[in-house]
Amino acid sequence: LCKNGEIKEALSLVTEMDFRNVRIGPEIYGEILQGCVYERDFHTGQQIHARILKNGDFYAKNEYIETKLVIFYAKCDALEIAEVLFSKLRVRNVFSWAAIIGVKCRMGLVEGALMGFVEMLKDEIFPDNFVVPNVCKACGALQWRGFGRGVHGYVAKSGLDDCVFVASSLADMYGKCGVLDDARKVFDEIPERNVVAWNALMVGYVQNGMNEEAIRLMCDMREEGVEPTRVTVSTCLSASANMGGVEEGKQSHALAVVNGLELDNILGTSVLNFYCKVGLVEYAEMVFDRMVGKDVVTWNLLISGYVQQGLVEDAIRMCKLMRLEKLKFDCVTLSTLMSTAARTQNSKLGKEVQCYCIRHSFESDIVLASTAVDMYAKCGSIVDAKKVFDSTVQKDLILWNTLLAAYAESGLSGEALRLFYEMQLESVPPNVITWNLIILSLLRNGQVDEAKKMFLQMQSSGIVPTIVSWTTMMNGLVQNGCSEEAIHYLRKMQEYGMRPNVFSITVALSACANLASLHFGRSVHGYIIRNRLHSSSVSIETSLVDMYAKCGDISKAEKVFRRKLFSELPLYNAMISAYALYGNVEEAMALYRSLDDMGIKPDNITFTNILSACNHAGDINQAIEIFSDMVSKHGVKPCLEHYGLMVDLLASAGETEKALRLMEEMPYEPDARMIQSLLATCNKEHKTELVEYLSKQLLESEPDNSGNYVTISNAYAVEGSWDEVVKMREMMKAKGLKKQPGCSWIRVKREEEEEVQVFVANDKTHLRNNEIRRMLALLLNDMRSDSK
């Protein structure tokens, strides 16, 4: 009866036996307790326990009954009762130990489980094939590979390595500890591998990012005729999603269908997650419709999939359908909707979600609070972000960092610093992310020296800078015109044993391009080749093309482009820009035309670059054709920069009226650069009235730019309007403006280093000023001698 789950009937039979004075042996109570374990019938088990106590010590102190009671309470996860009974055992055997170690593992008390294993060995009670898998699970959870190897040694010594379940648990343990070579070795030594063993190694591969190996293992498993389970298919789907393997994922889904595996919550969720991650939302919708027993997790996955693909309306529609199905939004649903509002900068949606959170008592949820702060910040409302932060009672480090990130992105370094010191007063110690954000806020605000000091302070406080810390410093320095220092930080990062990532390399190449330093650029390229980073990102190849072009080596830029591993738009944009820089309009046009053949749609940057090429070459006809095609053929709305290039082209070609008309008809306010180009043309054509009109516009657009006053002054000088020239000079003086002198520089190699030597007109501050002037005097004397 107990084995068939008929516990009530078995208990009724025992009651009748008791009524008829039929002797009931301990083994009968043991069988009923075992039945309660099978059915997880806690209430009936307690009744049996009470009856045992009532019947006296003959039963209550029976070793078999005592062990069965410990097993019952442990299997029902009643840890406290199980531990009390276990502590009172007169004889502890392998079964009672297995129960206690098992319940501790299930309830996350893994260190206690391992202590139990050690105590067993100390008491010379040898763990069996039921105990060891739980001990391996505990080692994996703690990632205690050393302890795990000790357990492996015990397994080998005790001869348990022939048990497929023990071996599978060892493979799983090594996988969770990141020692995949040992996991594979254990797996290969299993004489008869079952699906559990295959799954254990497969899961280990996926957990450690070895997705291709997981897929290959699945193929090997199929060749050996082992039928997959839901765990097998789910694992392969995770691997496929991680590596973007659309075909592999589809095949895993097909395998589930062929083997008749029902799309329950576990498998259905895995399939749904895969299609959402690889962007096949239509497939995800079909799977969702066919799933049996959809829960909140399932709905959340599809909503998240819509959001990832930018299908905001579909995500909101799905939320409404979810409510019609009488399902309540959980924290994940609300967090996804908040993220949607942040991505689309839809503050109205964000406020509606937050109101829902308040109405349904979610306002104390720390994750939702962090998401709300991020949403308001991305919608441009720092004040509302701060209100959410202030209203949250229990603040964790993530919430502090979220508001700090909002300040940093906005360049509000003062507020960021105040928050940084406030969190420490609240006994919330900053982590490396906090420090990175403070440094970012200073760099965004142009406070380079303060950022460098903060970087040193971070190190002195015992926080080790991460790759993100170094890259943030490098990028900030480049953005603030300190490219040479950025290269210095790259070197220091390597000295500290940090290996630059793709973004660090991209920033370094940008610094080289800004400095026009071919020497540094080649060094970085050499590092890329040695470390085989070419294939890791299209941004590296794009940056290399840009760097070589700006450093004066167009042939090398072309060579990098021809050897490209990626055929993506950013790389083509970089090469078109390179041709534009050198005035190679034919090559730029040929590359632009080739985009159509490859089915690559040009973007705003493409048109900026190709119009720049036409501008350099003065090719007005092709520029007009391209400008027209932007909207009519490619559906790209021209931006201010595109109009500026067209105005410059028309003005340079003497089409002043057309240029002026275009400037007046465009849907943007003209910028200073656009007005300057028209002003220069009008000046050449002696159009005095237009010069005055444009001069007024130029000063209104940039009243504090000294260059504008000089440009207008020069225009009036050409016209002979000397009174206006004097007036411009006086306005500059009154505003305290001075024309920034142009400079040039050369790179001088000293030993292994390169040094930048900057020269400014009439500058006498150069360290070798006297030597330079003596050399100039000698050269001038030679020139005079040669001219006689």
Side-chain angles (χ1 to χ4, degrees):
L1 289 172
C2 289
K3 286 178 181 176
N4 290 326
E6 299 174 55
I7 308 297
K8 300 294 180 186
E9 290 78 358
L11 195 57
S12 298
L13 195 58
V14 169
T15 304
E16 190 176 339
M17 287 172 68
D18 193 23
F19 180 74
R20 294 186 180 186
N21 293 320
V22 177
R23 184 181 175 278
I24 301 171
E27 66 280 355
I28 291 176
Y29 287 120
E31 285 296 333
I32 295 175
L33 284 170
Q34 190 61 48
C36 292
V37 167
Y38 291 144
E39 298 299 315
R40 296 295 189 271
D41 189 342
F42 187 70
H43 180 68
T44 304
Q46 282 186 311
Q47 287 181 337
I48 296 296
H49 189 185
R51 186 174 290 194
I52 287 167
L53 292 172
K54 184 181 175 182
N55 287 340
D57 288 351
F58 175 75
Y59 294 99
K61 291 189 177 180
N62 180 279
E63 182 185 338
Y64 173 71
I65 291 292
E66 285 180 325
T67 302
K68 281 292 183 183
L69 282 168
V70 170
I71 292 170
F72 162 70
Y73 283 112
K75 291 288 185 182
C76 291
D77 292 339
L79 178 61
E80 287 185 20
I81 302 172
E83 283 192 312
V84 169
L85 293 174
F86 183 74
S87 66
K88 291 178 180 178
L89 286 177
R90 290 167 297 129
V91 179
R92 294 176 181 176
N93 55 33
V94 70
F95 303 109
S96 54
W97 272 112
I100 287 294
I101 290 172
V103 69
K104 285 185 176 180
C105 270
R106 285 194 304 278
M107 300 187 77
L109 304 170
V110 285
E111 288 189 34
L114 295 182
M115 289 301 294
F117 174 74
V118 172
E119 202 173 331
M120 274 186 82
L121 293 174
K122 188 179 175 183
D123 292 345
E124 296 187 350
I125 299 170
F126 300 108
D128 62 4
N129 57 342
F130 291 97
V131 175
V132 171
N134 278 317
V135 174
C136 288
K137 183 181 176 183
C139 292
L142 293 166
Q143 295 189 336
W144 285 7
R145 66 178 68 176
F147 198 107
R149 285 199 169 103
V151 175
H152 191 176
Y154 167 79
V155 166
K157 188 178 177 182
S158 58
L160 290 173
D161 47 356
D162 286 339
C163 174
V164 68
F165 295 105
V166 171
S168 299
S169 65
L170 282 169
D172 179 67
M173 180 268 294
Y174 281 126
K176 285 184 169 63
C177 291
V179 194
L180 270 300
D181 289 341
D182 288 353
R184 182 76 207 208
K185 189 176 178 183
V186 169
F187 176 80
D188 289 339
E189 289 174 356
I190 299 173
E192 291 184 18
R193 294 185 285 264
N194 62 7
V195 71
V196 176
W198 288 91
N199 287 346
L201 185 60
M202 207 177 295
V203 169
Y205 279 141
V206 174
Q207 286 172 343
N208 287 275
M210 301 169 70
N211 301 297
E212 292 84 354
E213 286 81 351
I215 298 295
R216 278 196 289 271
L217 193 68
M218 169 71 162
C219 296
D220 294 342
M221 174 181 162
R222 296 287 294 145
E223 284 178 9
E224 290 203 13
V226 179
E227 289 299 316
T229 63
R230 285 182 172 80
V231 174
T232 317
V233 177
S234 296
T235 305
C236 283
L237 285 164
S238 295
S240 304
N242 294 342
M243 62 190 267
V246 176
E247 288 307 314
E248 291 85 351
K250 284 182 176 179
Q251 287 172 15
S252 298
H253 185 192
L255 190 64
V257 174
V258 169
N259 282 272
L261 299 175
E262 188 182 25
L263 286 178
D264 59 2
N265 272 356
I266 297 170
L267 183 57
T269 300
S270 297
V271 178
L272 193 61
N273 179 58
F274 160 72
Y275 284 122
C276 286
K277 275 193 174 179
V278 297
L280 297 174
V281 181
E282 300 87 353
Y283 285 72
E285 288 171 331
M286 287 191 287
V287 171
F288 179 83
D289 291 338
R290 293 173 185 173
M291 278 183 66
V292 179
K294 295 184 277 283
D295 59 10
V296 177
V297 175
T298 316
W299 286 82
N300 284 343
L301 269 173
L302 188 56
I303 292 166
S304 178
Y306 284 134
V307 172
Q308 285 167 21
Q309 298 303 311
L311 303 170
V312 178
E313 293 302 320
D314 288 317
I316 294 168
R317 176 180 57 80
M318 191 56 62
C319 288
K320 289 176 181 176
L321 287 173
M322 186 177 171
R323 295 290 290 150
L324 290 173
E325 291 288 330
K326 308 297 181 187
L327 287 169
K328 290 183 178 179
F329 295 159
D330 64 2
C331 295
V332 178
T333 323
L334 296 166
S335 181
T336 304
L337 285 171
M338 286 273 197
S339 299
T340 305
R343 286 179 64 168
T344 57
Q345 296 186 333
N346 186 342
S347 58
K348 183 176 179 291
L349 173 62
K351 285 177 180 177
E352 287 173 358
V353 177
Q354 198 197 358
C355 288
Y356 180 95
C357 293
I358 294 166
R359 286 198 308 273
H360 293 84
S361 304
F362 279 105
E363 69 269 28
S364 61
D365 187 279
I366 197 73
V367 175
L368 282 173
S370 298
T371 314
V373 169
D374 180 63
M375 180 272 295
Y376 280 121
K378 286 186 171 132
C379 290
S381 182
I382 297 290
V383 174
D384 286 329
K386 184 69 165 62
K387 282 180 184 176
V388 173
F389 176 84
D390 290 337
S391 66
T392 308
V393 180
Q394 296 292 331
K395 300 178 181 72
D396 65 357
L397 182 58
I398 295 170
L399 183 60
W400 286 92
N401 282 347
T402 304
L403 184 58
L404 205 54
Y407 287 144
E409 290 293 335
S410 303
L412 300 170
S413 56
E415 286 80 354
L417 283 167
R418 273 195 291 276
L419 194 69
F420 178 67
Y421 295 123
E422 185 187 334
M423 70 186 288
Q424 292 174 76
L425 289 171
E426 294 285 335
S427 301
V428 180
N431 62 2
V432 69
I433 297 170
T434 317
W435 285 95
N436 290 346
L437 290 168
I438 283 292
I439 291 164
L440 177 64
S441 71
L442 293 166
L443 290 166
R444 284 278 168 90
N445 204 36
Q447 296 168 275
V448 174
D449 290 336
E450 289 82 353
K452 288 192 283 188
K453 286 175 186 174
M454 195 59 74
F455 192 82
L456 291 171
Q457 194 178 326
M458 173 175 69
Q459 290 173 292
S460 62
S461 68
I463 301 289
V464 179
T466 62
I467 187 72
V468 176
S469 313
W470 290 100
T471 307
T472 300
M473 274 304 301
M474 286 172 60
N475 193 45
L477 289 166
V478 171
Q479 296 296 325
N480 283 282
C482 306
S483 294
E484 191 162 15
E485 285 191 78
I487 297 291
H488 174 67
Y489 270 82
L490 177 69
R491 287 173 172 165
K492 281 181 71 175
M493 177 173 75
Q494 290 176 289
E495 286 170 12
Y496 275 85
M498 286 279 178
R499 185 179 175 181
N501 62 8
V502 170
F503 190 56
S504 314
I505 294 295
T506 305
V507 172
L509 288 168
S510 179
C512 296
N514 291 347
L515 293 167
S517 173
L518 196 56
H519 172 73
F520 280 150
R522 283 172 176 162
S523 298
V524 176
H525 193 180
Y527 178 88
I528 292 167
I529 293 167
R530 287 193 302 275
N531 291 276
R532 298 178 181 177
L533 293 174
H534 270 95
S535 59
S536 59
S537 172
V538 68
S539 63
I540 286 182
E541 291 188 332
T542 304
S543 299
L544 279 169
V545 169
D546 183 63
M547 181 273 295
Y548 277 119
K550 287 177 180 174
C551 290
D553 196 342
I554 187 69
S555 60
K556 186 67 175 175
E558 287 178 316
K559 192 174 181 182
V560 170
F561 180 78
R562 282 196 297 270
R563 292 180 176 177
K564 62 185 179 294
L565 297 173
F566 303 90
S567 290
E568 294 186 29
L569 185 60
L571 188 54
Y572 280 85
N573 284 344
M575 197 65 235
I576 293 169
S577 175
Y579 284 135
L581 192 65
Y582 285 79
N584 299 352
V585 69
E586 288 183 14
E587 290 86 343
M589 285 301 301
L591 204 54
Y592 165 70
R593 304 283 185 211
S594 72
L595 293 176
D596 264 349
D597 299 334
M598 291 182 294
I600 299 173
K601 189 178 179 182
D603 62 5
N604 270 310
I605 298 168
T606 317
F607 289 110
T608 300
N609 293 339
I610 197 66
L611 287 172
S612 295
C614 294
N615 202 348
H616 277 291
D619 193 338
I620 191 167
N621 293 326
Q622 286 207 91
I624 291 170
E625 183 190 339
I626 289 163
F627 191 75
S628 175
D629 284 349
M630 276 182 73
V631 180
S632 61
K633 186 177 177 182
H634 301 288
V636 176
K637 184 184 176 183
C639 65
L640 181 62
E641 194 171 5
H642 299 134
Y643 280 105
L645 287 163
M646 288 304 298
V647 167
D648 194 29
L649 254 170
L650 290 166
S652 301
E655 301 280 0
T656 312
E657 296 299 327
K658 287 183 181 178
L660 189 61
R661 197 182 313 121
L662 182 64
M663 190 172 82
E664 288 173 346
E665 290 175 357
M666 70 181 185
Y668 306 100
E669 286 296 317
D671 64 359
R673 185 178 170 186
M674 199 181 293
I675 299 167
Q676 280 174 349
S677 64
L678 260 177
L679 187 61
T681 304
C682 294
N683 190 26
K684 288 176 189 174
E685 296 175 2
H686 300 285
K687 295 184 177 181
T688 309
E689 289 183 8
L690 203 50
V691 166
E692 288 180 4
Y693 167 73
L694 292 170
S695 298
K696 186 181 176 183
Q697 276 203 312
L698 186 58
L699 292 181
E700 284 176 359
S701 66
E702 284 186 354
D704 297 322
N705 187 339
S706 60
N708 292 340
Y709 291 88
V710 174
T711 301
I712 296 167
S713 176
N714 292 340
Y716 282 129
V718 171
E719 294 291 325
S721 305
W722 300 109
D723 290 342
E724 295 296 329
V725 171
V726 172
K727 186 180 174 182
M728 284 295 116
R729 299 291 178 181
E730 285 176 351
M731 284 176 70
M732 281 185 72
K733 193 174 180 181
K735 284 180 169 283
L737 299 174
K738 288 184 179 180
K739 184 178 183 299
Q740 292 294 323
C743 72
S744 59
W745 67 86
I746 60 169
R747 310 194 69 81
V748 180
K749 192 167 184 181
R750 295 182 178 278
E751 296 177 2
E752 295 299 317
E753 295 289 323
E754 268 197 356
E755 190 178 278
V756 178
Q757 301 281 336
V758 181
F759 302 93
V760 182
N762 295 319
D763 180 26
K764 296 179 182 179
T765 61
H766 196 281
L767 293 172
R768 301 178 68 182
N769 183 57
N770 292 335
E771 289 179 65
I772 293 167
R773 292 192 178 277
R774 281 198 296 271
M775 181 56 70
L776 284 172
L778 283 170
L779 290 170
L780 189 60
N781 187 52
D782 285 348
M783 288 165 69
R784 282 172 180 162
S785 299
D786 289 345
S787 64
K788 289 179 182 178

